[in-house]
């Protein structure tokens, strides 16, 4: 696997972006980013109720409260968007989805000769408690989480 560049935080658009290559076919990567039991292997413990657009639930990391999450859009096996209330600067995590104070991250998958090109773009940081702080925190988070995804996918080969 070639080295994957780190995430980029775009201050002017309040966007975090990272593109990686995974040595696995699109179908397997799609499963890894859409099925809760597979997401939980590389991301936080993910629980979703329902299927497709509108499915909702939580993402939880150890010693942290569950973060509300909802599937906003889905176009199998090319793209899936999730809205979540992961505001690192907030004093507390809301128990329910708050669309006015949340961000949306989208995974876009493209087949390439050696596997899959996956791009994540997270937007909406201007609605959070500390836009600049959250932008940087999530930039670092995507670096860590997507590196874990690459390792998990490549361990299955």
């Amino acid at each position: 696997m070639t080295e994957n560049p780190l995430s980029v935080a775009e201050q002017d658009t309040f966007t975090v972006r990272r593109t990686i290559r995974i040595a696995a076919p699109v179908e397997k990567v799609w499963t890894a980013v859409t099925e809760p039991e597979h997401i939980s292997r590389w991301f936080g413990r993910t629980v979703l109720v329902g299927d497709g657009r509108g499915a909702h639930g939580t993402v939880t990391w150890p010693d942290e409260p569950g973060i509300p999450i909802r599937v906003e859009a889905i176009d199998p096996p090319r793209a899936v968007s999730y809205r979540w209330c992961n505001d690192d600067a907030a004093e507390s995590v809301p128990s329910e989805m708050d669309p006015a104070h949340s961000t949306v991250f989208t995974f876009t998958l493209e087949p390439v000769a050696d596997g899959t090109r996956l791009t994540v773009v997270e937007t909406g940081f201007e609605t959070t408690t500390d836009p600049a702080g959250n932008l940087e925190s999530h930039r670092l988070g995507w670096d860590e989480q997507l590196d874990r995804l690459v390792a998990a996918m490549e361990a299955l080969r």
Side-chain angles (χ1 to χ4, degrees):
M1 174 58 40
T2 59
E3 185 176 320
N4 287 306
L6 297 177
S7 300
V8 174
E10 300 168 3
Q11 299 281 343
D12 56 332
T13 60
F14 297 103
T15 301
V16 172
R17 175 183 315 274
R18 185 174 187 203
T19 298
I20 61 172
R21 287 181 179 250
I22 303 171
V26 166
E27 296 75 19
K28 287 188 178 185
V29 177
W30 179 254
T31 296
V33 299
T34 59
E35 294 185 12
E37 64 273 16
H38 293 280
I39 298 169
S40 297
R41 292 180 184 152
W42 61 274
F43 204 55
R45 182 177 172 277
T46 303
V47 175
L48 289 173
V49 177
D51 292 315
R53 186 173 184 268
H56 58 89
T58 58
V59 176
T60 308
W61 281 272
D63 303 320
E64 299 287 333
I67 297 168
I69 190 168
R70 178 175 69 210
V71 177
E72 290 291 288
I74 190 164
D75 181 17
R78 292 183 291 267
V80 60
S81 297
Y82 297 95
R83 176 177 297 279
W84 65 343
C85 294
N86 190 11
D87 186 338
D88 297 330
E91 292 182 17
S92 63
V93 175
S95 59
E96 296 182 11
M97 180 59 62
D98 180 1
H101 298 95
S102 59
T103 60
V104 174
F105 61 93
T106 300
F107 293 120
T108 304
L109 291 72
E110 300 171 71
V112 293
D114 60 345
T116 303
R117 178 183 304 121
L118 177 119
T119 299
V120 64
V121 176
E122 186 172 5
T123 60
F125 291 97
E126 66 275 14
T127 70
T128 66
T129 307
D130 176 5
N134 280 312
L135 194 65
E136 179 61 13
S137 174
H138 287 230
R139 183 190 68 76
L140 294 170
W142 285 119
D143 287 344
E144 178 182 342
Q145 299 304 321
L146 293 180
D147 287 351
R148 290 180 65 194
L149 172 60
V150 170
M153 295 300 302
E154 292 183 356
L156 296 175
R157 293 189 304 161

